[in-house]
Amino acid sequence: MKIILLQDEKKLGKKGDIIEVSEGYARNYVLPKKIGVEANAKNMNDLKLHKANEERIAKEQQDAAEALAAVLETKQVIVKIKAGEGGRAFGSVSTKEIATACKEQHDLDIDKKKIQLPENLKNFGSYEVNIKLHPQVMAKLTVKVVES
């Protein structure tokens, strides 16, 4: 019997996969636990429409990420940190501080978890910071660290 999986199942497959199982296994385990549905014409069509909708949504998200990346490439964020004797900085700049500064200066919401620092920003100067907006989209943001 052919089954369309509704969720990831460790020994059977991933969500949306069409698998072949015995009728008894399907009737007694897969169907009652709502792990999958029978692969008839209606369910196959629903699966096809669902996959097309997911692809459309994924494409829209990627396009939005590319547009945001184009905006970020032109922006520069200034982060102020305290300095001690001899112009040495106290501490370093964190991703949270960069995300907050980006929100305040340019009104752009960036998740701090998506910001990838090349190294700890402990010195004053200008740095290129990578931001992973989407699995296929990376943006570069210029962060300028200055003394407050």
Side-chain angles (χ1 to χ4, degrees):
M1 175 179 237
K2 288 195 177 209
I3 299 290
I4 300 171
L5 292 178
L6 298 176
Q7 62 190 31
D8 290 351
E9 187 66 24
K10 198 172 201 174
K11 295 180 182 176
L12 297 177
K14 300 240 182 241
K15 179 180 178 179
D17 287 351
I18 300 171
I19 59 168
E20 183 77 34
V21 295
S22 68
E23 284 197 34
Y25 185 68
R27 259 188 316 226
N28 295 321
Y29 182 74
V30 176
L31 297 176
K33 293 197 178 230
K34 304 213 185 309
I35 294 170
V37 293
E38 185 178 351
N40 56 22
K42 179 195 174 296
N43 291 336
M44 292 291 284
N45 191 35
D46 288 347
L47 175 67
K48 184 174 134 184
L49 291 173
H50 185 70
K51 282 188 178 181
N53 187 35
E54 283 181 346
E55 288 175 5
R56 182 182 55 80
I57 290 171
K59 178 70 173 147
E60 288 175 0
Q61 288 175 344
Q62 183 173 356
D63 290 343
E66 288 172 353
L68 181 58
V71 170
L72 285 175
E73 297 282 337
T74 63
K75 303 290 183 187
Q76 178 179 4
V77 176
I78 299 171
V79 179
K80 296 179 181 179
I81 58 174
K82 292 183 180 179
E85 291 181 28
R88 291 186 46 98
F90 284 133
S92 63
V93 177
S94 68
T95 58
K96 182 178 179 182
E97 291 170 327
I98 294 171
T100 304
C102 198
K103 175 69 176 165
E104 291 171 355
Q105 294 172 18
H106 302 293
D107 200 33
L108 295 172
D109 284 324
I110 298 174
D111 187 8
K112 68 179 182 177
K113 296 174 188 161
K114 295 182 179 187
I115 299 173
Q116 300 171 340
L117 296 176
E119 73 270 346
N120 290 336
L121 306 182
K122 292 184 176 184
N123 298 321
F124 302 114
S126 197
Y127 298 93
E128 288 285 321
V129 175
N130 290 328
I131 301 173
K132 189 170 186 173
L133 299 171
H134 189 269
Q136 287 91 22
V137 180
M138 287 286 275
K140 288 196 181 290
L141 177 67
T142 304
V143 176
K144 189 172 183 182
V145 181
V146 296
E147 185 178 344
S148 64

